[in-house]
Amino acid sequence: KQEVTQIPAALSVPEGENLVLNCSFTDSAIYNLQWFRQDPGKGLTSLLLIQSSQREQTSGRLNASLDKSSGRSTLYIAASQPGDSATYLCAVWNNDYKLSFGAGTTVTVRA
Amino acid sequence: DAGVIQSPRHEVTEMGQEVTLRCKPISGHDYLFWYRQTMMRGLELLIYFNNNVPIDDSGMPEDRFSAKMPNASFSTLKIQPSEPRDSAVYFCASSQGDTQYFGPGTRLTVL
């Protein structure tokens, strides 16, 4: 069974610092990997999707890398802003078309 | 498109009552997923459909839970009878291709 771990569980940084969020998974036979953002009391918003054949994906200040062989992905958020405060979830698409989620990293960006 | 629509947004009920959660996926999406989110267990996939047909219901916790998708634009998740341990946020998501789009969720409280 796929296990997805996110470290750290929580992170607090001053505005302007770069954020590094880590995700690891136990079964490297994945279809792709997706990063989501969840605001308190809200649903999930997809941020980036990396196909298993790709090594990274970028969108604005966000960059996600994928090392399938070692079972790791990292989400980088450059020049953090208070509006980036949220919980970030890593999800792995397994070959059975089911998503396995990590527990998330809760980010607080202090103004 | 309005995105994935879920109703009700909040539901408070008493133990033993029947609860029905509703979902309208994004038009044209051929996959629909039901998830449950709790503090203890995180996000768990309960069941998913492809072209209105249930594909995998291995995540449904027990026989008290059932899900249907009578047509491409509507799905229900029913709990009968409900128990306090069913209290959680239930999300519906739909996809056509790789990215899943989540609804705002239904927060269920069973007293």
Side-chain angles (χ1 to χ4, degrees), chain B residues 60-72:
Chain B
M60 297 285 261
E62 42 195 282
D63 292 345
R64 298 184 296 106
F65 286 69
S66 62
K68 293 182 180 179
M69 192 164 186
N71 58 61

Side-chain angles (χ1 to χ4, degrees), chain B:
Chain B
D1 200 314
V4 176
I5 299 172
Q6 291 187 247
S7 65
R9 294 294 310 279
H10 301 273
E11 176 82 32
V12 180
T13 191
E14 293 193 346
M15 182 173 64
Q17 296 298 306
E18 178 180 293
V19 175
T20 299
L21 311 181
R22 297 173 176 79
C23 175
K24 176 177 167 55
I26 293 172
S27 177
H29 284 190
D30 53 359
Y31 283 87
L32 184 139
F33 305 81
W34 282 101
Y35 292 89
R36 178 172 67 177
Q37 187 176 38
T38 61
M39 288 293 292
M40 290 295 294
R41 300 174 67 91
L43 261 168
E44 302 173 284
L45 177 66
L46 300 177
I47 184 172
Y48 78 93
F49 297 82
N50 179 222
N51 292 321
N52 312 338
V53 176
I55 303 300
D56 190 323
D57 65 355
S58 60
M60 297 285 261
E62 42 195 282
D63 292 345
R64 298 184 296 106
F65 286 69
S66 62
K68 293 182 180 179
M69 192 164 186
N71 58 61
S73 59
F74 184 65
S75 177
T76 60
L77 178 67
K78 186 175 292 187
I79 308 172
Q80 166 63 18
S82 58
E83 296 182 3
R85 61 193 167 119
D86 301 331
S87 297
V89 180
Y90 291 82
F91 289 103
C92 174
S94 70
S95 75
Q96 182 192 39
D98 294 340
T99 300
Q100 288 192 16
Y101 296 86
F102 280 71
T106 295
R107 182 173 295 276
L108 173 65
T109 303
V110 183
L111 304 174

Side-chain angles (χ1 to χ4, degrees), chain A residues 36-56:
Chain A
F36 291 89
R37 169 184 171 138
Q38 185 174 27
D39 292 285
K42 305 288 187 184
L44 279 68
T45 301
S46 178
L47 297 174
L48 290 168
L49 182 142
I50 312 175
Q51 301 286 352
S52 62
S53 58
Q54 297 176 316
R55 294 195 63 86
E56 69 176 333

Side-chain angles (χ1 to χ4, degrees), chain A residues 60-110:
Chain A
R61 295 185 293 112
L62 275 59
N63 173 275
S65 65
L66 173 63
D67 184 342
K68 204 173 79 159
S69 61
S70 67
R72 296 177 192 275
S73 176
T74 302
L75 178 66
Y76 300 90
I77 303 177
S80 61
Q81 304 168 358
D84 295 328
S85 298
T87 296
Y88 292 82
L89 293 151
C90 168
V92 173
W93 282 76
N94 303 299
N95 286 333
D96 58 3
Y97 209 70
K98 291 159 70 169
L99 272 177
S100 297
F101 281 87
T105 294
T106 299
V107 171
T108 302
V109 180
R110 308 185 303 271

